[in-house]
Amino acid sequence: MQAAFKHILIAVDLTEDARSVAQKACALRTAFNAQLSCTHVIEPLSLAYGGDVPMDLSTIQDQLQETAKIQLNEFAQTLDIPSENRHLVYGRPETEIHSLAEELGVDLIVVGSHGRHGLALLLGSTANGVLQGSPCDVLAVRVGD
Ligand code: AMP
């Protein structure tokens, strides 16, 4: 049985919560002397709005991408994550995080979890989505308390 993590992937939504998720991921990187990668997934606006918006969304999408790129780079820099380990991707977070984890051969994905109640619990969260069908272990760090 493998008892160490060699490559950890931290998935970040670029909110304040990302800090506490990062702290745990960095502690594990140090403990296991592991490689650390990070990702942020940009959800295409056409996906979020079902393709039914009667306007050209490409300019807004470009701006979102530019902002996310800057924020991900700033975030990664504070954690000493080299540029080749920073991944800005498009699509549905759960799907893209799984694909990237497989592609990179990571053995642990670290995400934040809000421990929601009510409707959000029924609908599920990104953390639940990542956990289901993950190609490797998943650590859900409790955030937002
Ligand atoms: P949520 O369920 O949307 O509150 O998100 C819970 C956690 O899922 C966040 O703390 C992140 O670790 C991860 N996550 C959510 N959205 C994204 C995203 N767009 N890209 C990468 N990770 C995300």
Side-chain angles (χ1 to χ4, degrees):
M1 191 179 78
Q2 186 191 327
F5 295 116
K6 293 195 181 99
H7 193 168
I8 299 167
L9 175 65
I10 172 173
V12 288
D13 54 8
L14 299 175
T15 67
E16 270 303 301
D17 292 339
R19 297 264 135 240
S20 30
V21 181
Q23 271 181 355
K24 293 277 166 66
C26 286
L28 289 170
R29 167 174 65 179
T30 307
F32 291 107
N33 195 21
Q35 192 183 161
L36 185 60
S37 292
C38 64
T39 185
H40 175 70
V41 184
I42 301 177
E43 289 185 77
L45 291 171
S46 55
L47 244 179
Y49 293 99
D52 284 340
V53 188
M55 62 187 277
D56 181 13
L57 296 171
S58 54
T59 311
I60 306 172
Q61 190 77 65
D62 287 350
Q63 283 167 355
L64 285 176
Q65 181 197 337
E66 206 38 50
T67 307
K69 191 174 166 190
I70 293 167
Q71 289 180 335
L72 184 65
N73 276 330
E74 281 174 1
F75 173 84
Q77 226 156 5
T78 62
L79 304 182
D80 280 331
I81 297 176
S83 42
E84 64 272 20
N85 289 15
R86 305 170 190 175
H87 303 275
L88 189 62
V89 290
Y90 296 87
R92 291 196 186 280
E94 297 88 336
T95 313
E96 296 308 319
I97 292 166
H98 285 167
S99 303
L100 186 64
E102 242 165 15
E103 192 186 309
L104 299 176
V106 308
D107 37 28
L108 179 69
I109 300 170
V110 182
V111 290
S113 172
H114 282 98
R116 290 191 177 93
H117 306 279
L119 193 59
L121 189 64
L122 284 175
L123 292 173
S125 65
T126 309
N128 282 336
V130 171
L131 189 59
Q132 283 170 29
S134 172
C136 62
D137 291 350
V138 176
L139 172 65
V141 177
R142 185 141 181 138
V143 291
D145 284 335

